[in-house]
């Protein structure tokens, strides 16, 4: 028997085991993301479209007034790939969750709450940032950058951040007047979605134009 047969067999078994374990874990994560989001938004209708098997989903919800619809994506790291996962960890890869909620209401302006390290990556992509007021707030071990284009938004953004739960998961929150939408980018975690998005969602009405 050639010496390399046993190591190759063990590697193959490990790859198969990792595949099924990773598929199961990602299916579980996708399940709680969907269930916690639905518990908050209570959609009238919903549609999920799978992205590449266990990698994630795009989804669309039809919502009740004063909201119209929501669109989102949850992109999961490839836990089913035994030999790619070490590369993912070395590159700092994490699960990602993006949610955009549209409203029929007119919004008071544009405002952002962005985790500082993420802000450094995307600051150049924010249109009109040079005209916005800016502040930095410490929450636990994280610092958040607040941006706003109308004076009345400053207090509202501070209140939203003060009332937000599980802020260690938050990367970016935005209220965007031009498209009448709210946007959240976060790292999904069991019960963290319900806590963070739920606490943000309760304060969306602060941004209605009076």
């Amino acid at each position: 028997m050639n010496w390399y047969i046993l190591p190759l067999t063990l590697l193959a078994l490990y790859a198969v085991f990792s595949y099924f374990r990773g598929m199961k874990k990602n299916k579980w994560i996708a399940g709680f993301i969907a269930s916690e989001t639905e518990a908050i938004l209570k959609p009238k209708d919903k549609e999920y479209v799978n992205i590449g098997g266990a990698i994630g989903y795009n989804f669309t919800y039809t919502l009740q007034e004063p909201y119209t619809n929501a669109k989102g994506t949850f992109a999961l790291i490839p836990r089913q790939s035994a030999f790619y996962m070490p590369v993912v960890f070395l590159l700092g890869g994490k699960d990602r969750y993006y949610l955009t909620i549209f409203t029929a209401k007119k919004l008071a302006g544009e405002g952002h709450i962005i985790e500082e390290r993420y802000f450094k990556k995307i600051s150049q992509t924010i249109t009109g940032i040079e005209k916005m007021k800016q502040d930095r707030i410490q929450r636990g071990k994280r610092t958040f950058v607040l941006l706003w284009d109308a004076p009345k938004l400053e207090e509202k953004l501070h209140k939203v951040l003060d009332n937000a739960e599980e802020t260690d998961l938050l990367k970016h929150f935005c209220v965007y007047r031009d498209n009448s939408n709210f946007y959240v980018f976060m790292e999904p975690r069991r019960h963290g979605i319900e806590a963070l998005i739920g606490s943000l969602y309760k304060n969306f009405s602060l941004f209605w134009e009076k």
Side-chain angles (χ1 to χ4, degrees):
M1 181 177 179
N2 293 324
W3 66 268
Y4 54 81
I5 297 297
L6 180 58
L8 288 177
T9 301
L10 292 174
L11 282 173
L13 290 172
Y14 173 69
V16 171
F17 171 75
S18 296
Y19 174 80
F20 286 105
R21 181 182 61 179
M23 290 285 287
K24 183 178 181 181
K25 180 68 177 293
N26 276 8
K27 184 177 180 181
W28 175 74
I29 293 171
F32 75 66
I33 292 174
S35 63
E36 290 187 30
T37 305
E38 289 179 25
I40 298 164
L41 301 184
K42 298 177 175 58
K44 296 190 293 184
D45 193 20
K46 57 191 176 182
E47 179 183 12
Y48 291 89
V49 179
N50 182 250
I51 306 170
I55 296 176
Y57 288 85
N58 291 322
F59 65 89
T60 304
Y61 295 161
T62 301
L63 303 179
Q64 302 177 41
E65 295 182 356
Y67 305 100
T68 56
N69 64 297
K71 297 180 180 180
T73 299
F74 37 99
L76 310 178
I77 58 176
R79 292 177 175 84
Q80 73 278 13
S81 180
F83 305 117
Y84 186 58
M85 277 302 291
V87 177
V88 173
F89 286 131
L90 285 173
L91 296 176
K94 294 182 178 180
D95 297 324
R96 292 163 292 157
Y97 181 36
Y98 308 89
L99 175 65
T100 304
I101 301 172
F102 296 87
T103 178
K105 292 275 193 179
K106 186 176 180 181
L107 300 178
E110 179 178 345
H112 301 260
I113 300 173
I114 312 172
E115 193 269 328
E116 188 175 43
R117 286 179 295 179
Y118 184 62
F119 173 74
K120 294 175 182 178
K121 296 180 182 180
I122 68 160
S123 59
Q124 298 302 314
T125 68
I126 300 175
T127 303
I129 189 174
E130 69 281 354
K131 299 177 182 178
M132 294 184 183
K133 298 295 184 180
Q134 190 175 135
D135 194 11
R136 278 171 167 75
I137 302 294
Q138 186 81 25
R139 283 294 302 270
K141 296 181 180 179
R142 295 201 173 191
T143 299
F144 291 91
V145 178
L146 277 59
L147 304 170
W148 61 92
D149 67 352
K152 54 190 170 185
L153 290 187
E154 180 181 4
E155 182 181 352
K156 300 178 190 298
L157 289 170
H158 277 85
K159 183 174 182 178
V160 166
L161 185 57
D162 287 343
N163 292 335
E165 302 175 17
E166 301 287 352
T167 53
D168 59 307
L169 302 177
L170 180 62
K171 293 294 185 181
H172 189 182
F173 165 76
C174 173
V175 49
Y176 193 58
R177 174 179 49 207
D178 291 354
N179 290 338
S180 295
N181 71 267
F182 300 91
Y183 167 80
V184 180
F185 168 35
M186 64 174 292
E187 180 185 343
R189 189 169 68 198
R190 181 66 167 159
H191 303 305
I193 293 168
E194 196 166 13
L196 175 57
I197 294 181
S199 60
L200 295 173
Y201 187 68
K202 290 176 183 177
N203 283 302
F204 281 2
S205 60
L206 291 173
F207 298 100
W208 303 151
E209 182 69 270
K210 305 298 183 182

